[in-house]
Amino acid sequence: MKKLALLLAASALLALATGLGLAQPEGDADAAAFREAFLASELSWDDVLARAAEEGAVNWFHWGGSDVLNVWIDQVVVPAMAEFGVTLQTSRIPNTRDAVDLVLADAAAGRGIGQGSVDAIWINGENFLTLSRQGLNFGSVTDKLPNARYFFLDPDDPRSGANLSDFGFPNNMEEVPWSGGQYACYVDTARLSRADAPTDFAELEAWLRENPGRFTHIRPPHFNGNTFVQMVHYELNPEGSFAPFQASADSYDPEEFARLLTPGFEYLRRIEPFLLGGGGEDGRRGSPIYPENDAAQEALFANGEIDMACEFGVYTVAVGIENGTFPETVENIIFPASGQIKNKNFIGIPLNAPNPAAALVLANYLAEPTNQISKLSAIGYDLGVDVPLLSAEDQAAVIEAAPNLHGVTFEELGNAAVPDTNSTLVDIIETVWVEYVERQSSDSLAAIVRAAFEAR
């Protein structure tokens, strides 16, 4: 209840923490000394383990919308942390932003190093960027963990890019890779054959007009909803590629960015009447249904209300078939052929974490190869560690643990993979979708984009 109350209070303090910058409070002297010593590599890992046991607990905030993930954490991570003398306390939140807002609120209320409410966050993208810009990350920790040897961290090695950058923003090793993900779409071939399934957004629109109501996408600002919208813009923007969306918002003026967004947002408005709940051919918008999260979308799909769905996770189909949620006729497809966004996600530790040593132990444990392989096998979450750096035995275990891809190959997925949108643009695109598509604002798209730029 205490955490819930803090989350509710966060909105009242958030305005103090954003836009103006934060004057960092001093915080607890002992916690500050530990942080300084750790970041200076003056502590052994045994020193960290000993302090973690003294702290005795770690507060991990993570998206809680997956039952299989939650069960896996309870059955695997909780007992493992207990062996370190640490009680894992999970806060299963609907949106990562809730945890970020709590960190901001703690800082705005004067809670400095060691005095906050959040020890660790499952995080990436614009949420990490928010903390980074406010100077609220613990520091460059990744290369100081024992399991850093399983990550490419050399800036001169192109393979390090996914670990050293987050949505186009350098992360300064202030977050520890935990998992990966590629946006994937799937169909029930008993209802929609692979031959008839769309391969690009023009084909999706044509199919929807012939089969109204048989598709929808998750509502932004959920990351899966944002990603669908971003991929529309990747394919339909006047430049015809994802490249314009790799640049920072600072490199654009609102008018130029509005030019890039216009074809995509016109498309999203145009298909709305043909989404689940839409009005159909008579031109009425109707009441389009946008599921709030993965679980809600998967329920619509499993119940036969939609024939195609998209979300992060190339193993979603395998897990769904294995647990009986999906029939065996469900298969992955490559959609859109122009590119499926792929990224990594991380464990972040806030500057004011009350149990920083325990948070470091958690982040290091989650990067352990046996843990990573367990996560892959049990819930179909991609690896955060880099396979070439694993032992031959662990590499063989990865191959053995990986679920069936059902309908696609690793080569096809690799050829379709494209980088995620620069994190400075994500909130802008999300804001424009809410105003222009969901709220059907009468303002021009250019005016909405300009307002989104001014509000950032």
Side-chain angles (χ1 to χ4, degrees):
M1 293 300 293
K2 180 181 178 182
K3 289 177 185 174
L4 177 60
L6 284 168
L7 280 169
L8 293 173
S11 59
L13 292 166
L14 186 55
L16 299 175
T18 56
L20 302 176
L22 290 170
Q24 304 299 342
E26 292 184 5
D28 178 78
D30 180 62
F34 169 76
R35 173 177 178 267
E36 183 178 353
F38 179 79
L39 295 180
S41 300
E42 296 172 353
L43 300 177
S44 70
W45 189 245
D46 284 341
D47 293 331
V48 177
L49 291 172
R51 182 182 175 96
E54 291 175 5
E55 292 171 350
V58 60
N59 305 313
W60 182 20
F61 285 66
H62 68 84
W63 173 70
S66 168
D67 289 339
V68 291
L69 167 66
N70 296 336
V71 169
W72 177 80
I73 289 173
D74 288 342
Q75 293 181 345
V76 176
V77 185
V78 169
M81 292 302 295
E83 293 183 7
F84 295 114
V86 175
T87 299
L88 176 60
Q89 300 169 344
T90 57
S91 291
R92 291 165 179 167
I93 51 179
N95 195 314
T96 305
R97 189 171 300 175
D98 294 340
V100 171
D101 287 352
L102 181 51
V103 174
L104 293 170
D106 279 341
R111 300 184 183 98
I113 298 173
Q115 298 175 332
S117 308
V118 181
D119 288 312
I121 310 173
W122 181 11
I123 197 168
N124 69 356
E126 71 274 22
N127 289 303
F128 171 77
L129 178 64
T130 296
L131 293 182
S132 184
R133 284 181 161 174
Q134 296 296 337
L136 286 173
N137 292 312
F138 190 79
S140 301
V141 300
T142 303
D143 60 337
K144 300 170 182 67
L145 300 178
N147 286 330
R149 62 186 182 274
Y150 301 119
F151 302 120
F152 289 116
L153 296 174
D154 180 358
D156 295 326
D157 187 335
R159 295 173 295 181
S160 302
N163 299 322
L164 300 178
S165 179
D166 187 350
F167 282 50
F169 183 80
N171 64 17
N172 196 33
M173 291 189 284
E174 293 180 342
E175 51 182 357
V176 182
W178 181 48
S179 191
Q182 184 166 351
Y183 203 70
C185 299
Y186 50 90
V187 299
D188 186 343
T189 59
R191 306 194 303 263
L192 174 61
S193 71
R194 297 183 66 87
D196 292 333
T199 61
D200 59 29
F201 286 107
E203 289 184 6
L204 175 63
E205 180 177 3
W207 176 75
L208 272 171
R209 288 179 179 275
E210 294 179 1
N211 303 273
R214 304 306 300 172
F215 175 77
T216 189
H217 65 83
I218 295 172
R219 181 196 306 275
H222 190 284
F223 64 90
N224 275 305
N226 284 345
T227 304
F228 180 85
V229 173
Q230 289 158 24
M231 288 199 308
V232 169
H233 293 304
Y234 277 21
E235 184 172 307
L236 299 183
N237 77 81
E239 308 304 320
S241 77
F242 61 80
F245 297 93
Q246 303 305 294
S248 166
D250 293 334
S251 65
Y252 283 109
D253 59 54
E255 289 71 24
E256 171 61 13
F257 199 56
R259 182 185 74 85
L260 292 174
L261 295 182
T262 295
F265 275 118
E266 288 180 346
Y267 174 89
L268 290 165
R269 263 200 180 183
R270 197 165 63 242
I271 66 170
E272 255 209 338
F274 304 96
L275 298 179
L276 179 67
E281 278 290 359
D282 62 4
R284 291 183 300 108
R285 183 191 184 209
S287 301
I289 296 170
Y290 296 102
E292 296 292 338
N293 52 42
D294 311 24
Q297 178 179 251
E298 289 168 17
L300 293 173
F301 181 83
N303 292 338
E305 296 181 67
I306 55 176
D307 298 330
M308 172 178 165
C310 302
E311 62 186 88
F312 267 101
V314 298
Y315 300 120
T316 297
V317 170
V319 173
I321 292 174
E322 178 67 24
N323 65 25
T325 302
F326 293 165
E328 293 187 359
T329 50
V330 177
E331 294 184 2
N332 283 305
I333 60 172
I334 298 297
F335 177 89
S338 56
Q340 298 176 181
I341 285 175
K342 185 174 184 178
N343 61 32
K344 279 195 178 184
N345 48 76
F346 303 82
I347 302 298
I349 302 174
L351 176 69
N352 53 17
N355 303 293
L360 291 166
V361 171
L362 173 66
N364 186 69
Y365 170 71
L366 292 175
E368 186 70 34
T370 53
N371 176 282
Q372 291 272 309
I373 294 166
S374 169
K375 172 167 58 75
L376 173 63
S377 175
I379 55 178
Y381 277 26
D382 289 350
L383 302 180
V385 295
D386 297 312
V387 173
L389 298 178
L390 302 182
S391 67
E393 181 181 0
D394 283 337
Q395 290 188 37
V398 168
I399 295 172
E400 179 68 22
N404 192 310
L405 287 173
H406 289 281
V408 296
T409 65
F410 281 113
E411 182 179 10
E412 289 172 327
L413 289 169
N415 290 337
V418 293
D420 216 323
T421 304
N422 188 288
S423 54
T424 61
L425 299 177
V426 172
D427 280 345
I428 294 173
I429 296 172
E430 171 194 313
T431 298
V432 176
W433 183 87
V434 169
E435 290 297 321
Y436 190 75
V437 179
E438 183 175 44
R439 296 177 181 170
Q440 296 282 297
S441 172
S442 59
D443 292 340
S444 69
L445 182 64
I448 295 171
V449 172
R450 189 179 313 111
F453 266 81
E454 292 171 353
R456 68 190 176 96

